[in-house]
Amino acid sequence: NAGVTQTPKFQVLKTGQSMTLQCAQDMNHEYMSWYRQDPGMGLRLIHYSVGAGITDQGEVPNGYNVSRSTTEDFPLRLLSAAPSQTSVYFCASSSSRSWAAGETQYFGPGTRLLVL
Amino acid sequence: DQQVKQNSPSLSVQEGRISILNCDYTNSMFDYFLWYKKYPAEGPTFLISISSIKDKNEDGRFTVFLNKSAKHLSLHIVPSQPGDSAVYFCAASDRGSTLGRLYFGRGTQLTVWP
């Protein structure tokens, strides 16, 4: 049971390049989400999914796309990277969509992204 | 507009003493509060939570207090241990939300020294 895994751990991009941050979980969780953490800031929700085929925007969705074709995977795509997207990205999953989801959210180890 | 605020970016405490981490919130709809702990190069891990129907929740060395009228909560760690050194995030949720979405504070770096 690997929990939530994220790849890559670290990535450097040039402005305008595209890339996909991978996230996978093996706990059969319905709910998955992406957060970004910037220096001096808390985690901010980018996109989330409540099940395969269902996604929605969070607090800071601009510049990011997501899809959820399987229960296990929830990739985050940057179509045209910008320096403002330099951040640490965390994927999380949960077994519950309810208000208590926060208690059971499991976070991945993060992907550190630098956009030059 | 930060709805969850942790105004102390850092806290340094001697081993064995009490650590008190504070958190304020502005949204009166928040009724569920959580603390997460984060070590370097790892994702946050859930620590303890409290519902707005309570004013205290305890789990071993960790106790969370909630003052709804002041929109303030605090995390007490007694006794503090060097292994508690980490960043602590306060988070809040509105149970009326269909998402159970979390709003995070900026975090407090706790350092426990021997």
Side-chain angles (χ1 to χ4, degrees), chain A residues 31 40 42 59 99 102-103 108, chain B residues 32 36 43 89 95 99 101 105-106:
Chain A
Y31 179 79
E59 185 182 355
W99 57 266
E103 185 170 1
Chain B
Y32 193 68
Y36 280 83
F89 289 101
R95 283 182 290 181
L99 173 62
R101 176 173 158 177
R106 296 183 179 186

Side-chain angles (χ1 to χ4, degrees), chain A residues 1-111:
Chain A
N1 190 337
V4 180
T5 57
Q6 292 184 238
T7 56
K9 289 187 175 146
F10 180 70
Q11 182 73 45
V12 179
L13 289 179
K14 294 181 179 178
T15 297
Q17 286 185 315
S18 63
M19 81 161 294
T20 299
L21 280 65
Q22 301 291 346
C23 175
Q25 53 90 9
D26 60 1
M27 297 173 280
N28 200 32
H29 286 169
E30 293 177 312
Y31 179 79
M32 297 185 74
S33 55
W34 277 101
Y35 292 87
R36 61 178 286 175
Q37 184 195 4
D38 300 303
M41 299 288 289
L43 281 75
R44 292 183 292 171
L45 183 65
I46 304 172
H47 285 284
Y48 65 94
S49 169
V50 298
I54 306 170
T55 64
D56 207 345
Q57 296 180 350
E59 185 182 355
V60 287
N62 292 341
Y64 307 95
N65 281 346
V66 292
S67 60
R68 185 94 178 271
S69 56
T70 67
T71 299
E72 295 77 21
D73 301 299
F74 190 43
L76 178 71
R77 297 184 186 86
L78 284 72
L79 297 179
S80 179
S84 61
Q85 294 178 304
T86 293
S87 189
V88 181
Y89 292 84
F90 292 101
C91 179
S93 74
S94 173
S95 60
S96 171
R97 313 175 198 181
S98 74
W99 57 266
E103 185 170 1
T104 56
Q105 281 202 45
Y106 296 88
F107 283 84
T111 293

